[in-house]
Amino acid sequence: NGKFSENQKQVYNVVLNCQKKLIQTLKPGIVWADLTKQAHLYLLEGLLETGFIQGSIEDLIKDRIIHIFMPHGLGHLVGLDVHDTTIYPSGPLEPGMIVTIEPGIYFNNSLIDAALNTPNKVQYLNVEKLNQFRNFGGVRIEDDVEITADGYCVITDPPKEIEEIEKLMASVVN
């Protein structure tokens, strides 16, 4: 209907806030693996705040809880040649590199069921709330970003704020 439900807003905002924070940290010298760890931290904090999970950040990281919700990488290099051997930057980010920043949260029934049957994972999950999101799917937000000499330049410009998306949808639906 062109409008976010309250559940959609909740998940979307966790992912959007993560993506915004990550983009703001981009600059030459940042290591991709560190950026991915930071994404995991931001998403775990959001999942805690919204009541999907419980526990300490340290334990959630140690027991790899984020992989229940983000079973994919953070992004990849853009403009790859067919002969390139990796899609992730192997060293520090450098000026001229273009990367995607695309955190996400998914409610994958197979991953949730596996976690519910794993003693060191189930303790962190709010089963009642997760069950409400069984048919939700997920949210993933992507931007392409060029690493510049002194930081970054976002080269994509889709509407990303909920109000912007709803306004665009209203113009299409009506």
Side-chain angles (χ1 to χ4, degrees), residues 40-115:
H40 292 171
L41 176 63
Y42 292 147
L43 292 174
L44 286 170
E45 289 171 345
L47 290 166
L48 275 167
E49 290 171 14
T50 53
F52 287 100
I53 57 175
Q54 58 200 6
S56 72
I57 288 290
E58 295 79 17
D59 288 340
L60 293 165
I61 291 170
K62 175 180 64 83
D63 287 327
R64 302 174 51 84
I65 299 304
I66 193 59
H67 299 289
I68 300 167
F69 301 97
M70 186 179 160
H72 55 84
L74 175 60
H76 53 84
L77 289 165
V78 174
L80 294 175
D81 183 74
V82 293
H83 303 291
D84 289 342
T85 59
T86 182
I87 61 170
Y88 306 107
S90 56
L93 295 178
E94 299 174 16
M97 285 182 165
I98 299 176
V99 296
T100 66
I101 302 296
E102 47 184 302
I105 293 176
Y106 291 90
F107 297 91
N108 177 300
N109 287 328
S110 296
L111 295 175
I112 292 170
D113 290 340

Side-chain angles (χ1 to χ4, degrees), residues 8-22 42-43 46-47 69-70 72 101-107 138-142:
Q8 290 169 331
K9 285 180 184 178
Q10 196 174 52
V11 177
Y12 186 86
N13 281 325
V14 169
V15 177
L16 181 60
N17 290 335
C18 173
Q19 192 209 37
K20 285 179 177 179
K21 290 178 187 177
L22 292 171
Y42 292 147
L43 292 174
L47 290 166
F69 301 97
M70 186 179 160
H72 55 84
I101 302 296
E102 47 184 302
I105 293 176
Y106 291 90
F107 297 91
V139 171
R140 189 168 183 169
I141 304 171
E142 177 178 345

